[in-house]
Amino acid sequence: MTEPFPGLEALGPEAAARTRTAAEHVEAVLKAAILEGRLAGGTALRQEELAARFGLSRMPVREALRRLEAQALVDVLPHRGAVVTEISARDAADGYAIRRALEPAALRLSIPRLTAADLAEAAQLIAAMDSEPETALLGQLNRRFHMALYRAAGHARMLAMVEQELAGFDRYLRFHLAAQGREHMAQDDHRAMLAAAGAGDAAAAVAVLERHLDQAAATIAAFFARRAAVPGDPRGVIQS
């Protein structure tokens, strides 16, 4: 009988020592295997099989899967349970192309109509992203920040499309923060965009946003290329 999870090797002693609980150990092992591509997208992660593989009860396995779901590394699907998240370079490129077409237009239209309250909300959301410890909430805060700057554009259908794309991007943001760390949120771009918007300089704000999205698209493409060529080397910077 084939052993479950043939691509799932345990962490070495040094890495294992850094995990404090059984759930953290399971999380660390699965996270490394997913980010390095040893557990392919769509792989079922059955609690009973994982518990047997690690020699643990189901409780720490369930907790590890919950944490991985928060990082967009695992999806919990109806009738299937937990599976490794399926994301692709092509889907990411499509998403960024759509954002690149819509968001600069929304920002350009919005800036002349932004209120002091809109700008204050955006500033508060940047501060919230700086201090938020939960990766699962960073995507929501990022989406709210962008929409705070776009919402005065005055075109409901456009804004609905923008918000839909930002919501879809959340899984990529969380995936890359899991791979590379929260210091790669590109908050300097957010601050520069807000400063230009506050000064009423639509051209400068749009230039920052376009650079922000272009760098993000290039970075995520490079991430996938590196992972395909050199498993275990998920480096780079993710823009949001």
Side-chain angles (χ1 to χ4, degrees):
M1 183 177 177
T2 303
E3 182 184 3
F5 315 113
L8 187 59
E9 293 80 16
L11 288 175
E14 180 182 351
R18 292 198 295 267
T19 60
R20 297 187 300 274
T21 68
E24 288 169 342
H25 178 68
V26 174
E27 177 191 0
V29 174
L30 292 175
K31 179 175 177 177
I34 292 168
L35 292 175
E36 293 166 12
R38 290 185 283 112
L39 284 177
T43 300
L45 299 173
R46 298 180 180 87
Q47 291 183 24
E48 308 82 29
E49 293 176 356
L50 286 169
R53 178 72 170 78
F54 284 95
L56 298 168
S57 70
R58 291 177 59 179
M59 186 175 296
V61 171
R62 186 181 304 115
E63 173 63 16
L65 293 175
R66 185 194 66 77
R67 295 180 185 183
L68 293 168
E69 182 185 15
Q71 297 171 67
L73 300 176
V74 165
D75 290 325
V76 178
L77 304 177
H79 313 300
R80 288 192 62 192
V83 300
V84 176
T85 295
E86 294 190 78
I87 61 176
S88 70
R90 179 176 297 179
D91 186 56
D94 284 350
Y96 276 115
I98 294 169
R99 291 186 63 189
R100 183 64 162 75
L102 291 175
E103 290 182 43
L107 183 60
R108 187 177 290 109
L109 289 168
S110 182
I111 283 178
R113 305 172 182 175
L114 287 173
T115 67
D118 293 327
L119 296 169
E121 180 183 349
Q124 290 168 0
L125 288 164
I126 290 175
M129 283 187 276
D130 282 337
S131 60
E132 176 54 58
E134 294 293 331
T135 304
L137 297 178
L138 285 173
Q140 179 187 121
L141 292 170
N142 178 69
R143 180 169 71 252
R144 287 173 58 196
F145 164 76
H146 282 273
M147 292 307 299
L149 293 183
Y150 303 158
R151 72 161 67 102
H155 295 276
R157 289 177 61 191
M158 173 193 284
L159 291 173
M161 292 172 67
V162 169
E163 190 158 20
Q164 180 180 353
E165 289 303 317
L166 283 166
F169 172 77
D170 175 53
R171 67 196 290 105
Y172 286 95
L173 174 61
R174 286 185 286 140
F175 186 99
H176 277 268
L177 290 176
Q180 300 161 101
R182 60 174 298 125
E183 66 271 16
H184 297 291
M185 273 292 292
Q187 288 281 72
D188 287 347
D189 283 352
H190 290 159
R191 292 185 179 92
M193 203 185 314
L194 175 59
D201 191 340
V206 167
V208 172
L209 174 60
E210 289 177 339
R211 183 184 71 242
H212 184 76
L213 294 173
D214 289 344
Q215 289 176 345
T219 296
I220 200 166
F223 172 88
F224 281 110
R226 276 196 303 270
R227 193 172 75 159
V230 186
D233 186 30
R235 295 173 297 180
V237 178
I238 184 66
Q239 315 289 341
S240 56

